[in-house]
Each structure stands twice: as C-alpha cells, then as structure tokens.
Amino acid sequence: MEFTLSQIGAAAQPSDCVMVAVYEKQQLSPAAQQLDNASGGYLSQMLQQVEIEGKVGQSLMLHHVPHLSAKRVLLLGCGDQAQALSERQYQQVVQKAFSTLRDTNAQSAVSFLNEVQVAKRGIYWKVRFALEAVQQARYQFDAFKSKKSEQRQALNSIVFAVSADDIARAEQAIAHACAIANGVKAAKDVANCPPNVCNPAYLADCAKQLADESALLNTTIIDEAQMAELKMDAYLAVSRGSHNPAFMSVMEYKNHPNPQAKPIVLVGKGLTFDAGGISLKPAAEMDEMKYDMGGAAAVYGVMKAVAELKLPLNIVAILAGCENLPDGNAYRPGDILTTMNGLTVEVLNTDAEGRLVLCDALTYVERFEPEAVIDVATLTGACVVALGQHNSGLVSSDDQLAQQLEHAAAQSLDKAWRLPLSEEYQEQLKSNFADLANIGGRWGGASTAAAFLSNFTKKYPWAHLDIAGTAWKSGAEKGATGRPVALLVQYLLNKAK
C-alpha cells in the first residue's frame, strides 16, 4: 500500500474514488461542497433521494458523478458538524471508508477526511491514525492455509489531501504510521504462528534476522548452558519440562549521538506455549496459550519499527523465549529456586511461570546500566478481570517513567491504566521457607505479580506492562492485536525528541 499527499482540489482529483465528509441535516464539508458545485448540485440531489442522515458510520457511494475527474465519490457520515468527533468515532469513519472501498475494484482513493474536526487532535494525528486503521483492517494471516484468503485487495494507493501548511506534519505522520504499522504486523505474524513452529529457537531466529536487516542492530543469543553459567536457575526451571530448549535473545540497537548514552531496555516475556506445567491449565482455549509470548512479539515489533525510523537512541531489547510444559523433569509446586540475583523463591503454582523467567531477565539487564527498563508480559488473568481487553495494566516504581508511558498511551490510543504497587502486596508474597513465594493469593493478582518483579528491579527505573487482556482476541476475531507496539514506539518517539 502506498500513502502520499496531495494539494489538488477535490473536483480535480484524478482518482478511482474521492472520500469526503457529510454531516447531519445533509450539510456538506468544504471538499464535498466543491464536488457538489462542480457537478451542478448532483451530491445534494442524491442525498435528498437516498435520505442519508450523515450520522457517524453511514456511507453512500456515488458512481460517475457529472463533471468530476474521479470515478467515484464516497460520502461518509460524520455526525453533527458543530461537534468535534471523538477519536474512536474518527477511527470508525475511516474503517467504514476502507470496508466500503474494499468491496469495489478501486485501486486508488483520495481522502479529504482531514477536514473533519477531531477533539484535541490535529493533522498529524488524523493522517497517522487513518493510515494505521487502514493497515489494521487489511491484515490477514493465512500463512498456514492451503487455500489463501480471497479477500479483495485491489486498493493499493491512498492519497491524503492536505494544505501547504500541513505538508511537513503530514509527511512525518506517514513515516511514523508506516513504521508502527509494520511493527504491529511483525508482532502479529510472530504471535499468530502455531507453537509447533514458533518455539524459543524460532524467536531467536527472528531476532537474528532483524539484526541482519539493520546495521544498527546486533543480536546475541544466550542458550541454556550460558544461562546455567549465569545462574539463571528460575528461568531454567520453567524450561525443564519442555524438549524445546530456552533461548534468550539480546538485541542491541545503537544510534544515539552519544555512544555512551545509557540505553532504554525492553524485556518481552516469550512463553511460546504455556500449558501451566504441573499446575496444568484447563483444556478449554488452551490453544490460545501460544499467545503467552505476546510480550516478546511486541518487543520484536517495536524493534522493527525503531530500525525503520532510525531513532537516535540506544536500546536493548530482550526476547525471553521459553516453554512451560508438564514432564517428568518439570519443576513442581513446593520447589525452591534460587534466582540470578540470589533471592530464593518457593513455587506455589507452576502456572505463575512468567515472573520466574522475567525475574532472571530483569537481573541480567543490570549489566547495561539502563536509563529505564520496561517489561512487557501476558502475565496475569487478574489483570484481564480488572481492566478487560481495553487497557493494558501499567505498574511502576518510578512516577516519572509511569507518567511518560501514560502519556504515550494517550497519544497512541494504545490504552494503559496504572495499577497500584505498595508494600501491602509484598506482604502477600511472604513464604515460610524462601525469600518469596511466586504467587500472592487470589486477591490483587496483577499487583502482586508486579510486586514480585519489583524485587529484581532495584538498580534502575522500571515499569511493567501486563498485556494479558490486550495482546490477543478470542472468538470469531481470534488473533494477535500487536499491542502494545504503538504505545512503546510512541514512548520512544517522545524520548527521541
């Protein structure tokens, strides 16, 4: 898909389709009014005949409009002209436009939807999110189907009509949106892979391939023998029940003007399949546990976007690949493990494995003397109960870092909500036999899991994103979402400024 800009008026656009807004009471946007004038009032006549009300979500496709260069005109309802659209309403309008175009043979389209007022958003946002919404709607994953999807994909070019004053911001929006969309797609593709393909070795291969594609990236793979030397015994305990060995991929991106600048570190939980171990999960929907590597998939997608944008930062990305299965050699409830930083953990539930992998990975990254560390993990069902599938859970021991991530979430519409982290949650992790238990009881599970991780993050500013509710969808829309790639890339864009 090609995305470009144009300053040509609506009536003179030589396109397969021109998309313009129409408001309630059949009020026309400026571009729609131009088309109406050029066509001798044809748009107004058709609106009266068809009785489209101009409400958000409505559309009307007109063919062969007199005296216009475009083959089609798509009118899109945008509600009350006196009221700005919400961000969600704007996205709905864009998605409606694309779904309507998809049912035609149009290969190119010109959008004048930037004229629509969106609350607290300018030209950059409107172009960027229109592009991201289009790419989201276009996504298909049929790599493992013998007969590929027959979904029509004729549309290959979208032009955004902008004024001369808006060219620079619109160009920046296209560059950012294309990189984010590519990162989201990469994350989805990896996460949607079946677990017999996407195992820890596959994740490591993805990390190496990305380094081969970018001169700014270098990837190091740490295998189980090296983990043993590093005394990452908690990480290794989780892997013991699987025939697929664990691999931790360390991706170093260096492009800061100051080579000695401290890196930002991203750590992604990469449980390529989580059966729960000895504490076996219920059979229903266990297939979706291939998505337990959603954190690693997101970090991989972020690095793909970062490499494309060539952001002037130093970044270290960790893909903590592992698999949790029941086996005669699997770790057990009651086992006591010694973590890389020396703390001991009593295992009360082997299905609380992600924190055992992450605690050693979070200790490992101390060597980079990071500016900040953000871990991303499908960590707790409790977070899904608390926040549903709309917001990722955000927990942090550093208010400034938490505020930066909250701001990035609001900017990107990749929503997150901060959950508490206080001493009371640490008390729930007390053990009679070890320094910590790996679970804290039924209540406050998202915060107790984060509290567990916080014991391994004392040497740097740290934040945790629990994406158990946002990394994938179930049911008819089953599939990875690519979240929180947009949030994290926005955070890094802000840091690059």
Side-chain angles (χ1 to χ4, degrees), residues 138-143 145-153:
R138 282 169 53 85
Y139 180 79
Q140 305 179 79
F141 187 76
D142 56 9
K145 290 187 176 182
S146 58
K147 293 183 179 180
K148 305 304 181 185
S149 172
E150 296 180 0
Q151 181 178 334
R152 186 176 295 181
Q153 297 282 9

Side-chain angles (χ1 to χ4, degrees), residues 120-235:
K120 301 179 182 179
R121 299 292 190 174
I123 188 68
Y124 168 87
W125 188 91
K126 286 185 277 190
V127 170
R128 173 176 155 182
F129 284 89
L131 193 160
E132 289 185 30
V134 166
Q135 294 295 63
Q136 178 89 348
R138 282 169 53 85
Y139 180 79
Q140 305 179 79
F141 187 76
D142 56 9
F144 294 89
K145 290 187 176 182
S146 58
K147 293 183 179 180
K148 305 304 181 185
S149 172
E150 296 180 0
Q151 181 178 334
R152 186 176 295 181
Q153 297 282 9
L155 188 67
N156 56 37
S157 170
I158 293 181
V159 179
F160 296 101
V162 296
S163 68
D165 293 339
D166 290 331
I167 288 289
R169 289 291 287 159
E171 287 178 340
Q172 185 183 52
I174 289 175
H176 290 173
C178 284
I180 290 169
N182 289 339
V184 168
K185 182 182 184 303
K188 286 181 175 181
D189 285 347
V190 173
N192 282 328
C193 267
N196 59 316
V197 173
C198 182
N199 54 32
Y202 182 91
L203 275 185
D205 288 341
C206 288
K208 289 187 285 188
Q209 183 178 353
L210 191 54
D212 290 340
E213 296 170 2
S214 173
L216 300 173
L217 269 170
N218 180 61
T219 293
T220 303
I221 307 300
I222 297 175
D223 61 21
E224 290 191 344
Q226 293 166 301
M227 290 181 196
E229 291 178 7
L230 291 164
K231 298 184 178 180
M232 301 176 76
D233 293 342
Y235 194 139

Side-chain angles (χ1 to χ4, degrees), residues 256-447:
H256 198 286
N258 175 13
Q260 303 305 314
K262 291 184 176 181
I264 296 165
V265 176
L266 306 176
V267 179
K269 173 188 169 186
L271 267 291
T272 55
F273 192 77
D274 176 24
I278 298 299
S279 305
L280 190 67
K281 290 180 179 290
E285 299 177 348
M286 195 196 285
D287 64 289
E288 294 183 8
M289 286 302 96
K290 71 177 184 178
Y291 294 120
D292 210 20
M293 43 69 71
V299 169
Y300 168 72
V302 169
M303 296 311 293
K304 190 170 184 69
V306 165
E308 182 175 332
L309 292 168
K310 296 182 172 58
L311 295 184
L313 298 169
N314 289 343
I315 303 170
V316 175
I318 306 291
L319 310 185
C322 191
E323 193 171 50
N324 185 27
L325 294 175
D327 179 83
N329 196 40
Y331 78 127
R332 295 149 295 220
D335 284 359
I336 293 179
L337 310 174
T338 302
T339 64
M340 185 179 177
N341 80 346
L343 288 175
T344 58
V345 177
E346 181 186 12
V347 177
L348 299 182
N349 188 320
T350 64
D351 194 25
E353 85 300 327
R355 64 201 71 184
L356 299 175
V357 170
L358 288 174
C359 72
D360 280 349
L362 290 169
T363 301
Y364 177 86
V365 301
E366 290 176 359
R367 67 193 57 213
F368 299 107
E369 299 181 0
E371 175 186 338
V373 176
I374 304 164
D375 77 74
V376 191
T378 51
L379 203 62
T380 65
C383 191
V384 190
V385 173
L387 300 178
Q389 296 184 303
H390 308 298
N391 284 268
S392 298
L394 166 61
V395 183
S396 181
S397 56
D398 186 279
D399 287 341
Q400 183 179 11
L401 178 57
Q403 289 163 9
Q404 291 171 348
L405 289 168
E406 287 177 311
H407 181 55
Q411 286 177 290
S412 63
L413 279 191
D414 193 347
K415 297 180 180 181
W417 191 267
R418 192 174 183 185
L419 297 171
L421 180 69
S422 55
E423 293 180 9
E424 292 84 355
Y425 296 108
Q426 289 289 352
E427 292 175 6
Q428 291 180 238
L429 297 168
K430 288 182 177 178
S431 164
N432 290 347
F433 309 109
D435 298 322
L436 294 165
N438 78 324
I439 58 173
R442 181 179 179 185
W443 308 116
S447 288

Side-chain angles (χ1 to χ4, degrees), residues 14 19-20 24 35 50 54 73 79 106 109 152 249 281 298 324 361 433-434 448 461:
M19 300 184 291
V20 292
E24 292 178 1
L35 297 176
V50 179
V73 173
R152 186 176 295 181
S249 307
K281 290 180 179 290
N324 185 27
F433 309 109
T448 56

